[in-house]
Amino acid sequence: MKQTEILVVGGGPAGLCAASAAAELGADVLILERDSKPGGQLVKQTHKFFGSKKQYAGDRGIQIGDFLLEQVESNPKVEVWPDATCLGIYEDGVVTAEKDDKHIKIKPERIIIATGAAEKALMFPNNDLPGIYGAGAVQTLMNVAGVVPGKRVLMVGAGNIGLIVSYQLLQAGVEVAAVIEAAPHIGGYLVHASKIRRAGVPILTSHTVKEAYGNDTLEGAIICRLDEKWQPIPGTEQDIKADVMCLAVGLSPLTELCWQAGCKMKYIAELSGHVPVRNEYLETTRPGLYVAGDVSGVEEASSAMVEGRLAGISAALSLGYGKDKAPQLQAEALAELKELRSGPTGEKIMNGIMKLLGKEGAAC
Amino acid sequence: MLIKTGIPTPEDLEKVYPSEERMLKGPVAIIECFQKIPCNPCTEACKQGAILPMKDINDIPEMDFEKCNGCGVCISRCPGLAIFIVDRSYSEKEAIVRIPYEFVPLPEVGQKVVGLNRAGEELGTFEVKKVQSGGKKNMTYTVWLAVPQELCMEVRNIRLGGVTHGE
Ligand SMILES: Cc1cc2nc3c(=O)[nH]c(=O)nc-3n(C[C@H](O)[C@H](O)[C@H](O)COP(=O)(O)OP(=O)(O)OC[C@H]3O[C@@H](n4cnc5c(N)ncnc54)[C@H](O)[C@@H]3O)c2cc1C
Ligand code: SF4
Ligand code: SF4
């Protein structure tokens, strides 16, 4: 059985930062990443990031991912296992994983789950036609494999992901027929919306997909307008020809491991689904098991990195590392999170976290 | 409305424009960023202190137009591609609009390209005067376009041919 002090599940920005922070305080860390290249969502992000300099704002996602990975790889206390999927966390503290077709058992003293989030699907007739993709798949095709998904795309969802992936499609020379959004307002940052609008892409709010059609593959979709109660308005149907439909209708936390490990879970709409109940330092109701990043509430890479750091420091401290430095580092991370979440876009997240901590209505 | 269409309204724009007097003096940055988002690289990019420091990272950027010398450093640092520079002192008939650009192929100096407004509508063909790299790591280019004076607050994108989106 493989022994380690801290096991990090997931090598996205949250997991990589958790590993670095814990190792810097002296703990031995093992990272399991099911993909062949760690970096999580960052691997696919060719656009420049928001946030402040502390979270590498202005750099491109992929550059941030490479930088975080280098930081981890240059620390001898961290071991990274790519192509390793965590399968289960058991009552006796044993964790199982699949690596190179082998079933492996690991005995960690602390666990940090940083598995990120999964894409949501959308129900409409013929939503299983080839040519209908999730936004993540489109990004992987384009930005990792260098393959364009098709000729003309209908984007569904005007959150940041829908807007950014539309922009990346334009950059790849693919035509974007329109971005449609069921809500009455654009959900993503307006600077991203303006960027694709001035390239000529219409953004249609209060619109949804009525049905997709096509013989063997997608040929187009009928879209329609929604009223204030989100009901289709008869007679507003439009036929949009497209060989690709890209669904960017939100993410939900990838929490299977938390459920299976017996963490207490709570449904919090503001955090995009069921999330593990945890304390301020990101420890769940299962002692020694921490969470960080999108798995504890879908948010941003900037906050995922800081949460990762906080979980890493807290886990290391609980093992007796960094007793002098850790409390100060924890306070710094909490202050950074508070700053990131202080504006209108962070308000929703703050409300969600307050509900999760059972402090509704209380000041942070 | 901006929040429904992605196109800023004249009222939105009015709030961020420099005075006519300042515009005529020479190149000046115009920040078309209207929403409170957690972002501040523009404030760090400007070494002239023309983009005022933010109290809170969610603040909307604010300009001191008198301090802006039109150097253009901020354009390529902004992840929202929301900063443009307009130089109305270029000539009597024409102004230069500097536009952030992240597409291939890049236009060449002297090439005539289609100028687009904030809705992506064509406004005419205009000559590219300069193409500046934002650096190897940054990879955002700045395209200098000579446009008629009266269109300098309208042209905000270019197209080099290829597909027309949304038709
Ligand atoms: C199109 C797009 C644009 C974005 N733009 C921005 C932006 O501009 N600014 C910003 O701050 N954020 C942005 N984000 C959000 C940001 O990418 C995410 O919030 C961030 O990546 C979350 O980090 P994470 O580490 O929690 O999860 P992820 O990045 O999702 O990483 C989770 C990792 O865990 C691995 N994993 C999952 N399950 C297992 C398992 N059982 N065993 C082993 N490994 C596992 C996954 O393979 C993955 O590598 C964007 C996201 C998208 C999709
Ligand atoms: S153009 Fe130069 S001086 Fe003006 S705001 Fe931008 S960085 Fe500052
Ligand atoms: S860097 Fe750009 S997007 Fe960010 S606040 Fe400044 S102007 Fe707005």
Side-chain angles (χ1 to χ4, degrees):
Chain A
M1 190 163 345
K2 168 85 182 169
Q3 309 278 339
T4 184
E5 285 183 316
I6 299 179
L7 177 72
V8 176
V9 183
L16 293 174
C17 288
S20 289
E24 250 162 57
L25 292 177
D28 284 316
V29 184
L30 171 65
I31 305 179
L32 299 184
E33 168 53 56
R34 68 175 172 193
D35 222 35
S36 51
K37 185 172 192 278
Q41 293 292 338
L42 295 178
V43 174
K44 298 179 277 182
Q45 308 312 334
T46 52
H47 64 288
K48 288 187 284 190
F49 269 39
F50 290 79
S52 80
K53 208 169 177 180
K54 271 178 269 175
Q55 295 103 29
Y56 318 106
D59 285 344
R60 291 174 197 278
I62 187 165
Q63 296 166 332
I64 302 173
D66 286 343
F67 173 77
L68 296 179
L69 189 57
E70 270 165 38
Q71 206 175 33
V72 160
E73 284 175 339
S74 67
N75 193 320
K77 294 215 140 277
V78 187
E79 201 178 334
V80 186
W81 285 6
D83 294 311
T85 306
C86 179
L87 302 172
I89 300 173
Y90 296 90
E91 277 150 24
D92 56 0
V94 171
V95 176
T96 57
E98 187 266 333
K99 183 176 168 27
D100 307 324
D101 293 326
K102 281 202 224 46
H103 189 256
I104 296 174
K105 285 186 184 170
I106 305 162
K107 186 80 210 290
E109 289 172 45
R110 299 288 182 273
I111 302 171
I112 300 174
I113 298 186
T115 45
E119 280 179 302
K120 289 184 190 159
L122 195 65
M123 298 299 166
F124 53 85
N126 300 326
N127 73 352
D128 58 349
L129 274 174
I132 304 180
Y133 295 84
V138 166
Q139 275 202 313
T140 305
L141 272 177
M142 283 197 303
N143 302 345
V144 181
V147 176
V148 292
K151 293 199 182 78
R152 186 173 152 98
V153 177
L154 173 64
M155 180 65 66
V156 183
N160 273 330
I161 295 181
L163 298 174
I164 289 167
V165 175
S166 296
Y167 184 66
Q168 293 174 350
L169 284 160
L170 300 182
Q171 287 179 310
V174 179
E175 187 183 346
V176 178
V179 178
I180 65 169
E181 165 63 55
H185 294 143
I186 295 166
Y189 294 160
L190 298 177
V191 283
H192 287 317
S194 298
K195 214 157 70 174
I196 58 170
R197 181 65 244 209
R198 65 175 181 262
V201 178
I203 302 173
L204 307 172
T205 46
S206 300
H207 275 77
T208 194
V209 182
K210 202 170 160 208
E211 62 179 53
Y213 64 84
N215 277 324
D216 300 320
T217 59
L218 183 74
E219 288 166 24
I222 306 294
I223 63 165
C224 67
R225 248 181 50 217
L226 298 174
D227 63 19
E228 305 90 73
K229 297 196 184 88
W230 299 59
Q231 296 305 313
I233 306 176
T236 60
E237 290 81 5
Q238 267 186 70
D239 183 356
I240 306 253
K241 301 267 178 261
D243 61 344
V244 175
M245 190 191 301
C246 180
L247 301 178
V249 291
L251 302 168
S252 46
L254 202 60
T255 50
E256 281 83 355
L257 287 170
C258 303
W259 286 101
Q260 194 257 336
C263 301
K264 187 177 166 202
M265 306 293 289
K266 204 165 168 181
Y267 181 85
I268 310 261
E270 290 90 337
L271 301 177
S272 304
H274 276 95
V275 287
V277 172
R278 42 76 167 186
N279 66 17
E280 214 185 353
Y281 300 105
L282 303 173
E283 189 173 9
T284 64
T285 53
R286 175 171 165 147
L289 194 151
Y290 298 75
V291 285
D294 281 355
V295 70
S296 66
V298 174
E299 209 178 339
E300 297 258 279
S302 43
S303 43
M305 288 187 273
V306 186
E307 278 200 349
R309 192 160 80 219
L310 179 61
I313 297 164
S314 304
L317 178 63
S318 74
L319 289 169
Y321 290 107
K323 280 204 176 91
D324 45 339
K325 277 186 287 179
Q328 171 67 22
L329 294 172
Q330 283 176 321
E332 279 169 19
L334 284 170
E336 262 177 68
L337 285 172
K338 195 172 166 193
E339 188 190 15
L340 283 171
R341 292 166 179 159
S342 66
T345 43
E347 202 174 310
K348 195 178 92 183
I349 300 290
M350 282 311 294
N351 288 341
I353 293 173
M354 286 299 149
K355 281 186 194 165
L356 191 59
L357 295 172
K359 290 190 198 165
E360 272 148 279
C364 183
Chain B
M1 222 165 79
L2 176 59
I3 194 146
K4 286 188 186 287
T5 62
I7 310 169
T9 61
E11 296 80 61
D12 292 325
L13 293 165
E14 203 179 289
K15 284 184 228 147
V16 301
Y17 282 170
S19 66
E20 166 108 15
E21 190 194 350
R22 174 63 191 85
M23 299 275 313
L24 292 170
K25 266 195 219 154
V28 64
I30 297 168
I31 306 189
E32 302 189 7
C33 175
F34 305 100
Q35 182 186 33
K36 286 191 153 200
I37 52 173
C39 185
N40 71 6
C42 52
T43 59
E44 307 213 2
C46 181
K47 298 295 170 231
Q48 309 304 319
I51 307 179
L52 305 182
M54 293 181 185
K55 281 193 205 76
D56 182 316
I57 188 171
N58 290 284
D59 286 347
I60 290 171
E62 261 188 79
M63 287 281 297
D64 178 347
F65 293 113
E66 296 313 312
K67 286 194 182 144
C68 174
N69 63 11
C71 68
V73 171
C74 52
I75 292 191
S76 60
R77 285 297 295 170
C78 166
L81 305 194
I83 309 182
F84 305 87
I85 289 182
V86 175
D87 180 6
R88 290 195 57 189
S89 70
Y90 179 67
S91 79
E92 198 191 324
K93 290 225 163 57
E94 284 184 317
I96 295 281
V97 182
R98 287 187 235 162
I99 297 169
Y101 195 67
E102 297 188 326
F103 289 83
V104 284
L106 284 168
E108 279 170 32
V109 174
Q111 190 178 342
K112 295 264 190 163
V113 299
V114 176
L116 306 174
N117 67 8
R118 296 180 185 88
E121 295 156 349
E122 298 185 2
L123 296 173
T125 34
F126 310 111
E127 192 175 328
V128 173
K129 292 289 177 185
K130 195 167 168 177
V131 179
Q132 262 176 320
S133 159
K136 210 171 158 207
K137 180 157 165 271
N138 176 284
M139 293 183 290
T140 302
Y141 284 80
T142 302
V143 173
W144 299 43
L145 203 63
V147 306
Q149 286 274 358
E150 65 275 15
L151 289 180
C152 72
M153 299 311 255
E154 299 299 321
V155 179
R156 287 297 177 269
N157 197 8
I158 60 168
R159 175 156 55 226
L160 274 66
V163 291
T164 308
H165 298 281
E167 277 179 2

